[in-house]
Structure formats: C-alpha cells, structure tokens
C-alpha cells in the first residue's frame, strides 16, 4: 500500500468524481483510476461504488477513510513542523445539522473557525436525514436526541428553549380553546415531537393548516400570517415580523447533542472545531 495511493483515495472520497479528484491533485483521470485500482487490489476490497452521480464509499471504503485521514493528518503535521507552521490546519470536515440550527447557531461559529483556519474546508449538510457517523457520511453531527451508536463520542451541547409565535399584530388565541386558529407544525414523520402534541393540547379547537420538517420554513409561514408556530427561541426571537405569545405554559424545551466517530478524536481540525463550538454554544 502506497501513501500516494491513499492521497488519491482521499481526493476521490472528498471530490466525488475521478475528474474532480484529478484536478485537485494535478494528475490525469486515467492515472487516478489506475492508482485507485492498485489500492483496491492491495486492500482486497472495493472501496467505492461507481454510480451515475459519482463515487460513493462502500462500508470498506468508509473504514479505510478514517485511517487514511489520520495518516494524512500526521503527514501534514510533519510538514507543518518542518515549515514552522505548527498551528495551520488543513483538510475537510463534513458537518450535519438541522436547517435552522446550521443557519442561526453554527454559521457564526463556522465563520469564526474559517478565519482562524482558512485551509480547512467545511461542508454543512442541513437535512432531516440522519447521516451516519460510522459510515463517514459526516464527521460531526448535531442532533436533538442522544447518540446511541456505540462507536460515537458525544456530549450534551446546550439546552434549547422554545416559544410560541404569531405574526406581529395577529390576534392572540385563547389557551384551552384556539377556535378559528390555524396551526403550523412538524410534518407527519415528526408528529411525535413533544411540541406538536403540546401545541394541540394548548389549542385543542385549532386546525392544522401547514406542516413542514424545516423550522426555518415554519418561521416564514408564521411571519406571513399562516398560523401559530412553536419555534426554537434563537430562531423565533430573531425573525422580523414575529411576536412571542404566552399561553400560560412554556413549550417543551429540547437538548442539543454533538457527536463524532471515536476514530476521529485525534484529528486536529475536528478537535479544534469541537472546542470552538463548545466554547461558543455550550451551556
């Protein structure tokens, strides 16, 4: 197994196609293909699925990826030390979080991190889908439920309060009734979330008018007068055109957890980002 072949593997994993990886390393596409085939013969496994959309890691490829990145980190650290740039970090980190959390909570922290470490590329995946840390679909994940994977290192990051909102100037519904009121809630797939049942209990005679799994979209619908919504306070309080109302009882709060695969715990750029996120948001 050649380190240069692992560099080819890392480039393909990050770029998704042979052509993009070849441009990244300044090599030709046929050369990249031959080097990948040599590596797959050396390890005795197919490392990528070839799809129309590009190259997708197999389970074996995901296992190789974590080790290859640690080797890369050591090689880069060696180069930095020789060059006298020990604090400069390189590489890519893929983060997964919900849409509103990425926009309102993580974006300022990531911007600060990027100024400190401009050679680290951050990819933020905002999707309701749970990306697997074990299969290296993401390096760092933020979730509202504890991680149950045995190979994931996790911690509670923060306590997130929620509030009830209507468009500014709209009539305020009466708690325990809600007749004539429209509700904005999570979609059917997320109907078991605590705030959905809570809102319907507080306004039993209200009717659901709109559902979405995206809190930011719920907030915009609320701004435009589509109904009453339960939103995370950082999102609802910062949205122009919304007012928070009191129904006599606070909506259920949620916890936010951060996690990463245990094989990544020695990756310097990951540790640096986690430390900054905990320092800015932890509480």
């Amino acid at each position: 197994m050649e380190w240069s072949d692992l560099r080819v593997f890392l480039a393909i994993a990050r770029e998704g196609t042979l052509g993009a990886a070849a441009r990244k390393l300044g090599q030709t596409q046929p050369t990249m293909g031959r080097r990948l085939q040599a590596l797959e013969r050396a390890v005795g496994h197919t490392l990528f699925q070839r799809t129309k959309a590009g190259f997708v890691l197999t389970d074996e490829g995901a296992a190789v990826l974590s080790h290859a990145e640690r080797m890369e980190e050591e090689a880069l650290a060696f180069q930095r030390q020789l060059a006298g740039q020990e604090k400069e970090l390189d590489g890519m980190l893929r983060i997964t979080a919900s849409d509103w959390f990425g926009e309102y909570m993580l974006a300022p922290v990531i911007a600060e991190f990027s100024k400190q470490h401009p050679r680290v590329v951050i990819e933020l995946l905002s999707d309701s889908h749970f990306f697997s840390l074990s299969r290296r679909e993401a390096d760092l994940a933020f979730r509202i439920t504890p991680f149950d994977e045995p190979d994931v290192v996790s911690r509670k990051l923060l306590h997130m309060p929620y509030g009830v909102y209507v468009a500014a100037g709209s009539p305020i519904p009466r708690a325990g009734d809600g007749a004539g009121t429209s509700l904005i809630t999570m979609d059917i797939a997320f109907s078991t979330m605590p705030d959905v049942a809570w809102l319907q209990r507080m306004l039993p005679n209200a009717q659901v008018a709109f559902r979405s799994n995206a809190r930011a979209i719920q907030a915009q619908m609320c701004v435009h007068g589509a109904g009453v919504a339960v939103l995370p306070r950082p999102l609802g309080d910062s949205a122009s055109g919304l007012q928070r109302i009191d129904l006599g009882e606070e909506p259920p709060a949620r916890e936010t957890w951060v996690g990463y695969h245990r094989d990544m715990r020695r990756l310097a750029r990951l540790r640096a980002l986690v430390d900054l996120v905990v320092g800015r948001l932890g509480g």
Side-chain angles (χ1 to χ4, degrees), residues 5-250:
D5 291 340
L6 286 173
R7 289 185 66 237
V8 167
F9 166 79
L10 285 172
I12 296 171
R14 291 165 178 168
E15 301 299 323
T17 66
L18 279 180
R23 290 190 294 273
K24 182 79 172 181
L25 297 185
Q27 299 188 19
T28 66
Q29 188 168 329
T31 298
M32 297 287 285
R34 288 194 297 271
R35 301 280 290 279
L36 175 60
Q37 290 175 0
L39 178 61
E40 289 181 326
R41 286 196 298 270
V43 300
H45 293 283
T46 299
L47 302 179
F48 292 99
Q49 293 178 357
R50 280 70 166 173
T51 71
K52 291 181 180 179
F55 281 56
V56 179
L57 285 169
T58 61
D59 289 345
E60 293 79 11
V64 170
L65 182 61
S66 60
H67 296 288
E69 288 203 318
R70 290 203 300 274
M71 293 174 66
E72 178 191 49
E73 184 67 30
E74 290 299 321
L76 291 171
F78 176 66
Q79 294 171 4
R80 288 194 299 268
Q81 189 169 15
L82 291 180
Q85 299 175 347
E86 294 86 347
K87 295 183 180 180
E88 189 69 28
L89 301 179
D90 301 80
M92 189 183 80
L93 288 173
R94 184 176 289 113
I95 304 171
T96 175
S98 62
D99 59 333
W100 80 267
F101 193 86
E103 180 177 356
Y104 286 86
M105 306 297 290
L106 291 181
V109 182
I110 293 173
E112 180 181 353
F113 181 84
S114 295
K115 291 177 182 177
Q116 296 175 5
H117 307 289
R119 296 176 63 178
V120 177
V121 178
I122 303 291
E123 282 190 3
L124 177 58
L125 309 172
S126 57
D127 198 306
S128 58
H129 166 69
F130 270 17
F131 291 90
S132 171
L133 296 172
S134 299
R135 294 195 299 272
R136 292 301 307 280
E137 294 174 348
D139 302 312
L140 189 65
F142 296 86
R143 297 178 184 171
I144 59 173
T145 56
F147 293 80
D148 55 9
E149 299 93 329
D151 51 0
V152 168
V153 178
S154 67
R155 59 166 291 173
K156 184 166 66 176
L157 178 64
L158 56 88
H159 179 81
M160 181 63 63
Y162 280 62
V164 187
Y165 297 87
V166 297
S170 296
I172 297 177
R174 186 164 60 91
D177 182 9
T181 300
S182 298
L183 302 182
I184 299 169
T185 70
M186 299 299 290
D187 65 10
I188 296 297
F190 292 89
S191 61
T192 59
M193 293 187 69
D195 59 277
V196 177
W198 180 89
L199 185 58
Q200 293 176 330
R201 176 172 62 83
M202 297 300 294
L203 301 173
N205 297 318
Q207 298 294 318
V208 175
F210 180 78
R211 294 188 177 98
S212 173
N213 64 355
R215 296 285 190 183
I217 294 176
Q218 291 181 20
Q220 284 304 305
M221 292 295 292
C222 192
V223 166
H224 290 286
V228 179
V230 174
L231 301 170
R233 287 282 304 274
L235 170 60
D237 290 353
S238 62
S240 177
L242 288 185
Q243 69 177 92
R244 186 160 57 91
I245 63 174
D246 183 7
L247 294 181
E249 180 183 317
E250 293 296 322

